[in-house]
Amino acid sequence: RIGHGRCDAADRRGDGPMSARDSGIAALERGFTLIEVVLIIMIAAVAVLPLSMLFADTSIRSGDARNASVAAQLAQAKMEEIAADKASPTRGLSYLVTANYPPESPVTAFSGYSRSVTIASDSTYDSVVFRALSVTVTCANIPPITVTTWFTGY
């Protein structure tokens, strides 16, 4: 019929209660078989193992990144101390010799880190005397971190 969208009683399908077959409930009540449950557990176990190994490796690497960051900061701090000595009116460039900066093992307040200063002999370029300095910090599980700079006599 064409009309207002009304349906007669004759047009309705089943005025009685819905059966389980009609609503799809029968398929849901069936549940999982033991084989399906075992397969799901095996697939989950195979997927979880590599993910857990990835997380473990990532947490180890984040510790290495922290150690490298601390080592770089310790090297920079020592280089700033040396620059302050060079700029000091009572010390200057002549104070910058290896004997004035003994190796630190461990670095104060940073157990596990060692720091050393290497000062090269004077060099001259275009009538300018300069001195190369390197600060190296070592820590377990990371390569040594070295900061290098040059100081001049003016």
Side-chain angles (χ1 to χ4, degrees):
R1 254 185 209 185
I2 301 175
H4 301 293
R6 294 184 190 163
C7 297
D8 294 348
D11 292 337
R12 288 189 231 140
R13 293 193 176 136
D15 284 335
M18 292 178 43
S19 67
R21 189 186 77 221
D22 292 339
S23 66
I25 294 175
L28 293 176
E29 289 178 354
R30 192 185 93 193
F32 293 107
T33 65
L34 181 61
I35 292 174
E36 290 172 329
V37 171
V38 169
L39 282 174
I40 289 170
I41 290 172
M42 289 181 64
I43 290 170
V46 168
V48 167
L49 182 64
L51 287 175
S52 65
M53 292 172 60
L54 175 69
F55 289 133
D57 188 51
T58 302
S59 66
I60 290 169
R61 296 291 172 225
S62 69
D64 292 350
R66 180 193 171 283
N67 289 345
S69 178
V70 169
Q73 291 171 4
L74 288 171
Q76 185 63 38
K78 187 58 144 183
M79 192 60 76
E80 289 174 11
E81 178 187 326
I82 295 169
D85 287 343
K86 192 262 179 198
S88 169
T90 59
R91 293 191 172 172
L93 184 64
S94 61
Y95 185 81
L96 305 184
V97 293
T98 305
N100 290 329
Y101 303 98
E104 301 168 80
S105 185
V107 177
T108 305
F110 291 92
S111 62
Y113 294 88
S114 297
R115 181 167 57 186
S116 62
V117 177
T118 304
I119 302 175
S121 57
D122 288 353
S123 298
T124 304
Y125 179 77
D126 200 22
S127 303
V128 176
V129 176
F130 66 92
R131 194 170 294 166
L133 288 92
S134 295
V135 177
T136 302
V137 178
T138 58
C139 178
N141 300 326
I142 62 167
I145 304 293
T146 301
V147 176
T148 302
T149 193
W150 296 267
F151 288 107
T152 61
Y154 56 85

